Amino acid sequence: MARYGMVIDTRKCVGCYACRVSCQMQNELPVEESYIKFYEKETGVFPNVKNEIIPVQCQHCEDAPCVSVCPTKATYTTKEGIVLVDADKCIGCKYCMVACHYGARTQDHNTGVVEKCRFCAELVAEGKQPACVSTCISNARIFGDLDDPNSEVSKAIVKMNAQPLRPDLGKAKIYYVR
Amino acid sequence: MVWGTIIAAYLFLAGLSAGAFLTSSYAARRYPEAKTVRFVGRLISPILMGIGLLLLIVDAEAGLKDPLRFIYLFTNFSSVMTIGTYFISFFMMAAAYIALMELLKKDTSKIVEYVGIIFAVATAIYTGFLIGVIGAVPLWNTAILPILFVVSAFSTGIAGTMLVSAIMDKKVVHMVMSIKKIHLTLLVAEVLLIFTMFLITSSTNESAAQSVSMILSGEYSILFWLGLVVVGLIVPIAIEALELWNSKKLHHTPAGLEVAASGSHGIAATMITESAVLAGGFILRYLLLAAAVPVIFL
């Protein structure tokens, strides 16, 4: 069984928002709602400074606090390690939104259901790539099986020493190159 | 604010309801003659909890649109919210039964009352655990919070019960002096707990420090110092202490009670104190939700 994960190379990300737009199209989201948020971070001291653009979405944590906190079991982890929301079980209590370390969840005010990045589970099931990955203009995103050492994503993690945003906050399945 | 004023009101009402239930149970045992206190506590407890639950339903948009989904609330035992749902269910059943018996002027079952007491305490504690287990918000993620919530719940419960009791029968307030003593102790404990919590958590990490400074000196400082500390704690502590000191001078005779009820420290002091405590109880919960700075993850 595959265990899906992703690498995001912030050195390659130009902040074009193509991933966000394709995500919105794939998930039929309105303009103001999105599952990918962009953060900018400046590091260093002049003249050695770096400006980093960091796209953040659901990190699909192995030990996801949203899953343990959800009172209705609407949020669950699939066998492939993708964290999903069962829209028919969600009551919209927003406990998962409060519990998420990455602020990755949003509430759809038409249905009241809380949603987030789903690693495009339906595309992945067809053997395709998530929309944000296939649309990225600079190949900053790599998606695949973390358990397969020969997968592109596993090799990239090793080669570029990719790390989760905050390993101390739980076992995330999105790795960043920064 | 993901969880806003509605949730603050719910947390406040749940604590108040549990506290009122405990106040009435205590009054029923200690002061069988103070029927008003018992009656009021037993009656307002399920009503206030009911209002709180209605607020929760309104806030849970997806459930509001499809109410059958609320049944799933009983399914995930790793969630504090599920555990709380059980606590509230048992508490509500016991409190509603006892309120009904009180209205029908029938004897209540002792067992149901004890069950009610246990689940009232559980309900008050759970509201603290509900937000206390959230690692993403360091301000909440402290062991003191559930204790603070319990103390505040009992304190607001006494206040709510005494306020309504005083309106219905102004003599009764002076019959239950030990409740006033307990109330004073709780209020003093609350001051200690609040400052201990802020002092310790603000030194644990950046987000917590940010939350605490928002409350102590930032955008919520007026609400905190004026609303919670002065109105919600210092004024009630001062009046309550004064009342207790004065009451020592009055003998516990019917004549003494008459003097107490009609004298300078009549029901006005009680009304002010209890209303202030209630306001403080709500402000405490509102501040904790409003100043919830999440962990900085970048």
Side-chain angles (χ1 to χ4, degrees):
Chain A
M1 189 60 75
R3 192 172 62 92
Y4 291 116
M6 192 184 279
V7 163
I8 297 177
D9 189 342
T10 63
R11 298 169 313 176
K12 286 185 179 173
C13 177
V14 296
C16 71
Y17 292 24
C19 53
R20 174 149 88 184
V21 174
S22 68
C23 169
Q24 286 172 314
M25 287 167 73
Q26 179 65 27
N27 293 299
E28 295 173 0
L29 298 178
V31 190
E32 67 279 3
E33 210 179 292
S34 96
Y35 299 158
I36 303 175
K37 290 192 176 102
F38 284 84
Y39 295 90
E40 268 189 68
K41 197 182 180 187
E42 270 179 30
T43 43
V45 179
F46 179 81
N48 300 312
V49 287
K50 189 169 87 168
N51 187 37
E52 200 184 2
I53 296 158
I54 312 158
V56 175
Q57 64 213 62
C58 171
Q59 306 286 306
H60 296 274
C61 310
E62 303 263 291
D63 43 5
C66 57
V67 173
S68 60
V69 130
C70 174
T72 65
K73 287 191 173 171
T75 282
Y76 62 102
T77 310
T78 66
K79 283 178 207 147
E80 290 94 3
I82 303 178
V83 177
L84 292 180
V85 179
D86 182 344
D88 292 329
K89 277 189 174 178
C90 176
I91 56 167
C93 69
K94 301 181 277 289
Y95 204 10
C96 56
M97 288 176 75
V98 172
C100 177
H101 281 115
Y102 305 95
R105 290 174 164 255
T106 59
Q107 188 175 30
D108 176 345
H109 289 288
N110 291 319
T111 61
V113 172
V114 176
E115 268 292 358
K116 55 165 203 78
C117 157
R118 307 169 298 108
F119 267 173
C120 290
E122 68 285 352
L123 292 180
V124 171
E126 292 171 23
K128 293 179 186 163
Q129 297 274 297
C132 59
V133 175
S134 52
T135 203
C136 180
I137 59 160
S138 55
N139 284 328
R141 290 168 176 266
I142 303 166
F143 177 82
D145 184 1
L146 296 173
D147 281 348
D148 174 5
N150 294 315
S151 69
E152 210 191 328
V153 71
S154 298
K155 283 182 188 164
I157 290 172
V158 175
K159 191 179 152 206
M160 297 186 283
N161 189 25
Q163 300 288 335
L165 274 179
R166 281 285 296 272
D168 56 319
L169 296 180
K171 295 176 189 139
K173 283 202 281 287
I174 296 191
Y175 291 75
Y176 286 81
V177 184
R178 305 175 67 179
Chain B
M1 278 168 89
V2 175
W3 275 352
T5 313
I6 294 180
I7 301 298
Y10 158 73
L11 294 173
F12 166 70
L13 287 169
L16 172 51
S17 164
F21 188 87
L22 294 170
T23 309
S24 69
S25 293
Y26 176 79
R29 265 155 200 74
R30 179 81 199 263
Y31 301 108
E33 70 283 3
K35 286 198 179 100
T36 317
V37 176
R38 190 195 70 207
F39 177 80
V40 167
R42 285 180 171 175
L43 213 66
I44 63 171
S45 170
I47 294 173
L48 293 171
M49 191 75 225
I51 297 170
L53 293 177
L54 280 178
L55 290 177
L56 272 192
I57 291 169
V58 170
D59 192 65
E61 286 174 50
L64 184 65
K65 285 171 182 137
D66 189 357
L68 279 177
R69 286 184 192 180
F70 286 115
I71 290 166
Y72 295 121
L73 269 170
F74 291 96
T75 56
N76 186 6
F77 287 94
S78 69
S79 170
V80 177
M81 202 181 274
T82 294
I83 295 164
T85 309
Y86 280 95
F87 287 170
I88 293 170
S89 302
F90 291 124
F91 171 54
M92 265 302 255
M93 283 191 275
Y97 163 82
I98 285 174
L100 187 69
M101 291 299 116
E102 187 69 50
L103 281 174
L104 298 173
K105 296 191 166 56
K106 284 186 181 167
D107 281 341
T108 53
S109 147
K110 276 237 166 65
I111 295 164
V112 177
E113 188 158 7
Y114 289 136
V115 169
I117 290 170
I118 292 167
F119 284 103
V121 176
T123 300
I125 296 178
Y126 127 84
T127 59
F129 281 128
L130 182 75
I131 65 171
V133 296
I134 299 298
V137 182
L139 178 67
W140 302 344
N141 198 213
T142 135
I144 291 186
L145 187 92
I147 302 168
L148 173 63
F149 269 32
V150 173
V151 170
S152 166
F154 294 170
S155 159
T156 53
I158 290 175
T161 311
M162 295 306 278
L163 179 65
V164 182
S165 300
I167 294 167
M168 288 175 68
D169 174 6
K170 57 180 174 178
K171 259 183 277 181
V172 81
V173 177
H174 301 276
M175 291 159 72
V176 291
M177 275 304 158
S178 76
I179 292 184
K180 295 228 156 202
K181 274 183 202 158
I182 295 173
H183 201 183
L184 182 61
T185 314
L186 290 171
L187 288 167
V188 173
E190 211 177 314
V191 176
L192 293 174
L193 286 169
I194 287 171
F195 284 98
T196 309
M197 185 173 128
F198 285 172
L199 200 69
I200 304 288
T201 53
S202 67
S203 61
T204 55
N205 73 50
E206 212 183 319
S207 304
Q210 218 176 311
S211 291
V212 172
S213 72
M214 275 164 87
I215 295 173
L216 295 187
S217 56
E219 56 180 307
Y220 299 111
S221 55
I222 293 174
L223 194 59
F224 173 74
W225 291 106
L226 214 65
L228 179 55
V229 176
V230 175
V231 173
L233 295 165
I234 293 177
V235 167
I237 286 172
I239 299 180
E240 207 92 65
L242 217 64
E243 269 191 305
L244 282 170
W245 190 65
N246 277 337
S247 77
K248 278 189 184 163
K249 292 190 283 191
L250 296 167
H251 296 291
H252 286 280
T253 57
L257 280 175
E258 285 295 339
V259 174
S262 56
S264 57
H265 45 290
I267 63 161
T270 301
M271 305 268 276
I272 293 168
T273 316
E274 316 304 13
S275 312
V277 170
L278 290 175
F282 173 74
I283 292 170
L284 171 70
R285 284 155 183 85
Y286 175 82
L287 284 174
L288 287 173
L289 294 189
V293 178
V295 165
I296 297 153
F297 58 81
L298 286 181

